[in-house]
Amino acid sequence: MEFTGDYFAAAAPGDADAQVRVYHGAQGLDAVQLGEALDNPELLEGNWQLVHTIPAAAASTEDIVASLAGDTTLSCAEGESQVVGRWRIVRLQDVRLVPGRQVR
């Protein structure tokens, strides 16, 4: 299943230094393309913008969503979830970042 969207959260389950990263993609890009780009940084350039990073132990979709829900600088609703290679990716809807916030 492939799903497109403007914003996606991605995490590598089981990483010792797990982070949930929120990306804004160029129009029409999907979760599979983000997963491939995360494994090949050249594909990230020009197509995906990292807009937010949250430290987390992201072992599952629920952990990603809980990490996002607990972050006061971002609000969103979660959509579909997909595993692409070693990445778990969740489509985000209604994303709002606090104005003036810096990417960590």
Side-chain angles (χ1 to χ4, degrees), residues 26-56:
Q27 186 173 358
L29 293 178
D30 62 37
V32 171
Q33 290 166 310
L34 175 57
E36 291 169 351
L38 290 170
D39 288 332
N40 182 354
E42 291 177 1
L43 298 175
L44 281 173
E45 293 178 28
N47 294 312
W48 298 96
Q49 177 186 11
L50 177 64
V51 295
H52 195 52
T53 304
I54 305 166

Side-chain angles (χ1 to χ4, degrees), residues 39-99:
D39 288 332
N40 182 354
E42 291 177 1
L43 298 175
L44 281 173
E45 293 178 28
N47 294 312
W48 298 96
Q49 177 186 11
L50 177 64
V51 295
H52 195 52
T53 304
I54 305 166
S60 68
T61 302
E62 293 76 26
D63 291 342
I64 292 173
V65 172
S67 297
L68 293 170
D71 184 54
T72 60
T73 61
L74 172 83
S75 68
C76 63
E78 75 270 10
E80 298 91 347
S81 171
Q82 184 171 359
V83 174
V84 180
R86 66 184 189 105
W87 301 96
R88 180 169 298 278
I89 300 174
V90 177
R91 183 171 64 91
L92 304 178
Q93 303 168 334
D94 304 322
V95 174
R96 295 194 203 304
L97 291 168
V98 173

